[in-house]
Amino acid sequence: MTKIGELDEEASVDGTGPATDDDLAVHVVEPLLPQRIRRPSDLLRFLATLFVLAAVIMLAFVAKKTLNGLEGDVADGTSRAPFLLSGLAGVLSASAMLGVPVAFAIERVLHRDGLRVAEGLFAAIAAMVFSFVLGEWILKAGPEDLQVLLTGGRAGVEPINTLLTPIIAYVTAVRISRRPTWRAALWSAVALNAVALFAGLAATILGIVVSILVGLAIGYATLYGVGSPNTRPPGSTVVAALRKLGFVPVRARRLDDDYQSSRRYAVDLKDGSRLDVVVLDRDRQVAGVLYRLWRRIRLNSETRRKAIRSLRAELEREALMAYAAQAAGASTPRLVGTSEIGSEAALLAYEHTPTRALDSIPDKEIDDNLLAQIWEQVLLLQVQRLAHRRLTGDSIHVDAEGRVILTDARSGEIAAGDLLLRLDIAQLLTYLSLRVGAERAVAAAAAVAGSGVLADALPLLQRIALTRETRAALTKNKELLTEIRDRIVELKPRTEAEEVRLERFRPRTLITIIGTAFAAYFLVYYMTQINLNMITSAKWGWTGVALAAAMLSYVAAALMLMGFVPEKLPLGRTVLAQFAGSFVKLVAPAAVSGVAVNTRYLQKRGIPPGQAVASVGASQLIGLAFHIALLLLFAYITGSNTASSFTPSRTLVITLLAVAVLILVVVSVPRLRRTITKRLRSLFSGVIPRLLDILQSPRKIVEGFGGTLLLTVFFVVCLDACVRAFGGSINFAAVAIVFLAGNAIGSAAPTPGGLGAVEFSLTAGLTLAGVPSEVAASAVLLFRLLTFWLPVLPGWASFTYLQRHEAL
């Protein structure tokens, strides 16, 4: 607890003049403010610097020839300059670059700010050590291309400049950027030194840029690690700011102990009334910026809210929303004053009304009258085009007389579009359904807002549209949104809800794109390692066998599908459907494309959706069983074989142990267990009845089980023929194990067709089996050409043909 009465009598509350008797009588009760805090802005700058550093290095690799050419031109030009002139320029620029930080340190020490200088020295030492270690690693073990780009291929050139990096780290840690004169002098010296180093062939362009970025990163990391002096104004300064607004505080108390959110104070006034004061701290305005940026990029919500907001903008935003809500007639806390508190904070003062948050009210006390009041208040905002954006239990309050009061409007929007208003309805409807059930929540909303408003919000009842707290609560009641939709449709059966896509992209899509990019890079590197002379010397007889086996695999896949469908399917179109699936593999993971195409094909054949999904699920289930059985069978065969080209016993043990560990992890983690169980249940629901129908027909049994077996056999034959086409020799059972393991990895990979994962796993498997690496790489390239790339063109033709004839 701090008391203004304990301050020096010659100093006022805000330090601008002598204190008055009223000032000395004010008691401020709050926890002791921390001396140092970690500012989110420093962490954000650190991450941004790392991102820029990675981007610069990647661009340098792309423009490698341009940079090397520029280095050569400079070397040729500077060789003609007088040695004395270039040496003198280097000495003077280095002296200036050292002199500015030293002068700034002396100035800070004279102003009794030696701690800041000590932090800068710590950052400089860390930067020097880090730059030296990183430079030594680059020279001795780093990529050759990176060495050339950072040193120009010249001996004695440091990849990371051990003078420039510590100086940049030092000036960053002492926050010299806040002093315009010192900042201009420093960067002028750095620029001159960079030119001198480059012209004197003592550094490269990339080396100078990387040295500066590494110094900035270490400086920001130091600032965030050791923290910065706490400049947040204490409660006494808040009281002084209120007094300037004309209020006469007599007592103030901090309401929360969370220094990571907006501070709130309860301030008692001399006339017996009370104020609720919200303090916005400048250093907290970038808190949560990464999450907000992610939501802005991922979602389309028509919001004009900036992800990074200034203190002034945040103050004006909350004040404007409060005044607009009062003008709309909504029951909200009355804003009676706003003020900046120096340059580091601002406050908003509201009239106090004793209330309880809806979250603190038991569910059984939420009656229909209270629900109706909540909807009435929200509709008052909606009429004036005001979107609250945070209708949750902590922003809906109830006063002593049972009246509803809406709070926490700082996230709101004025002149909101239809989408934002409908999002408010969807959010409130979902939250109330979590509290009182979907039936009561929908009925109360319809009684006040009407079924038309609910019908408009129907397409927005999506998890992604809700607040973070509501999404977390829905994990315990996953069917609630479906129940809400059903209740709305019961009220208005003819509702035609247009599809509203809020997500610009899904995280799974982003993962697929990133995985595909890495896979493409791997393939490019992988193909550069292949001996082209070996490819031209391939035995075309074995290549023909591989091609025939690859084409027959599509017939086997068609027989497999036909065997698990009791209805009769034409063989020709079913084969075309399998080719169409190979075309879809270009844009979808291998485990998804075939299932989607086959399900769609069966539905177009007149098979009900549930039975179509069950048939495809049955084929997948039996295929999985065959896959595991064949893997164990061939592992046993190779284990009993004494061929020196393959040592399966150790491999089999390692494989089984890895599978056992994976199963143990999945079973022990509840979230993973529920996710996999849900996926399997949705995929294989109805499979058992479908299998019972099939088992009654011997012909279907032969087609289904035979097609499943032949599909694997043809793929193994194709891979074996590809190995033999390049002169390799390996046990057929070993090839089968390599294919089965590689196919499983490819099915699990998020990239289209398992791109990258299949190539890597098959090449590694063949190499471990004793095939020379060059032969293995060439064989896998041919195998993927025949089974993945070559069928794309006939797959596209099949896809187009089936669509034109409404068969897909």
Side-chain angles (χ1 to χ4, degrees), residues 130-146:
F130 181 81
S131 59
F132 175 78
V133 173
L134 181 60
E136 288 297 310
W137 176 82
I138 292 173
L139 290 174
K140 295 180 180 179
E144 183 178 351
D145 289 343
L146 186 61

Side-chain angles (χ1 to χ4, degrees), residues 139 147 151-159 200-203:
L139 290 174
Q147 292 180 19
T151 65
R154 299 184 292 271
V157 176
E158 293 180 321
L201 303 181

Side-chain angles (χ1 to χ4, degrees), residues 357-364 366 393 430-437 440 480:
L358 194 60
D359 273 344
S360 64
I361 299 177
D363 295 347
K364 61 182 180 181
I366 303 178
T430 305
Y431 170 75
L432 293 179
S433 297
L434 286 167
R435 298 297 305 274
V436 301
R440 283 188 60 197
L480 181 63

Side-chain angles (χ1 to χ4, degrees), residues 28 54 81 129 198 209 255 259 291 357 377 426 435 469 492 525 529 563 580 619 636 645 655 691 693:
V28 181
V129 173
F198 184 61
V209 174
L255 295 179
Y259 286 92
Y291 176 76
Q377 293 298 319
R435 298 297 305 274
E469 297 84 359
K492 200 168 184 178
Y525 175 79
Q529 307 302 311
S619 67
Y636 174 77
S645 62
T655 302
L691 284 175
D693 292 339

Side-chain angles (χ1 to χ4, degrees), residues 103-416:
F104 183 80
I106 294 173
E107 190 259 355
R108 286 293 87 200
V109 170
L110 293 177
H111 284 80
R112 298 183 180 181
D113 194 10
L115 183 59
R116 183 188 300 191
V117 177
E119 294 169 3
L121 290 175
F122 175 81
I125 294 171
M128 181 174 291
V129 173
F130 181 81
S131 59
F132 175 78
V133 173
L134 181 60
E136 288 297 310
W137 176 82
I138 292 173
L139 290 174
K140 295 180 180 179
E144 183 178 351
D145 289 343
L146 186 61
Q147 292 180 19
V148 173
L149 287 171
L150 291 175
T151 65
R154 299 184 292 271
V157 176
E158 293 180 321
I160 310 295
N161 192 290
T162 52
L163 174 63
L164 182 59
T165 303
I167 289 177
I168 298 299
Y170 169 83
V171 297
T172 303
V174 298
R175 297 188 184 274
I176 203 174
S177 59
R178 295 184 175 183
R179 306 285 296 277
T181 303
W182 288 100
R183 182 180 65 230
L186 170 77
W187 285 108
S188 298
V190 169
L192 289 174
N193 183 254
V195 172
L197 288 173
F198 184 61
L201 303 181
T204 64
I205 295 177
L206 182 63
I208 292 171
V209 174
V210 169
S211 297
I212 293 174
L213 290 174
V214 169
L216 287 172
I218 295 176
Y220 289 130
T222 302
L223 283 175
Y224 187 76
V226 303
S228 303
N230 189 0
T231 57
R232 298 174 185 174
S236 56
T237 310
V238 174
V239 169
L242 288 174
R243 187 173 297 281
K244 290 181 179 180
L245 291 174
F247 301 104
V248 184
V250 295
R251 188 179 297 105
R253 177 170 56 90
R254 175 78 179 270
L255 295 179
D256 62 286
D257 296 330
D258 183 9
Y259 286 92
Q260 301 303 313
S261 61
S262 299
R263 291 183 286 158
R264 299 178 184 271
Y265 290 87
V267 180
D268 296 326
L269 303 180
K270 190 174 183 180
D271 60 4
S273 61
R274 177 175 164 183
L275 296 178
D276 292 329
V277 179
V278 178
V279 177
L280 307 177
D281 294 302
R282 182 180 297 278
D283 61 89
R284 294 301 307 164
Q285 296 311 301
V286 297
V289 66
L290 295 179
Y291 176 76
R292 294 198 297 269
L293 281 173
W294 169 249
R295 295 281 291 184
R296 282 292 298 267
I297 294 171
R298 183 183 174 192
L299 301 183
N300 175 27
S301 59
E302 294 184 357
T303 181
R304 290 172 293 278
R305 183 184 183 189
K306 294 182 179 180
I308 302 178
R309 299 156 290 179
S310 68
L311 177 64
R312 183 72 183 182
E314 187 69 13
L315 174 65
E316 292 174 349
R317 182 185 192 85
E318 184 167 350
L320 181 60
M321 189 64 189
Y323 290 137
Q326 292 174 20
S331 181
T332 59
R334 180 168 172 263
L335 181 63
V336 294
T338 61
S339 174
E340 290 187 341
I341 312 175
S343 61
E344 296 298 323
L347 67 82
L348 300 101
Y350 295 90
E351 283 186 350
H352 173 70
T353 302
T355 60
R356 288 191 300 165
L358 194 60
D359 273 344
S360 64
I361 299 177
D363 295 347
K364 61 182 180 181
E365 295 184 18
I366 303 178
D367 55 20
D368 293 340
N369 177 53
L370 183 57
L371 294 175
Q373 284 193 63
I374 294 172
W375 283 107
E376 288 170 358
Q377 293 298 319
V378 172
L379 287 180
L380 288 173
L381 298 179
Q382 298 256 320
V383 168
Q384 297 298 320
R385 313 294 297 181
L386 301 177
H388 190 281
R389 302 298 306 280
R390 188 174 172 76
L391 291 170
T392 57
D394 58 354
S395 63
I396 302 173
H397 286 234
V398 181
D399 65 9
E401 298 179 2
R403 293 177 302 183
V404 171
I405 297 177
L406 301 180
T407 65
D408 195 14
R410 63 185 298 184
S411 301
E413 294 270 0
I414 64 170

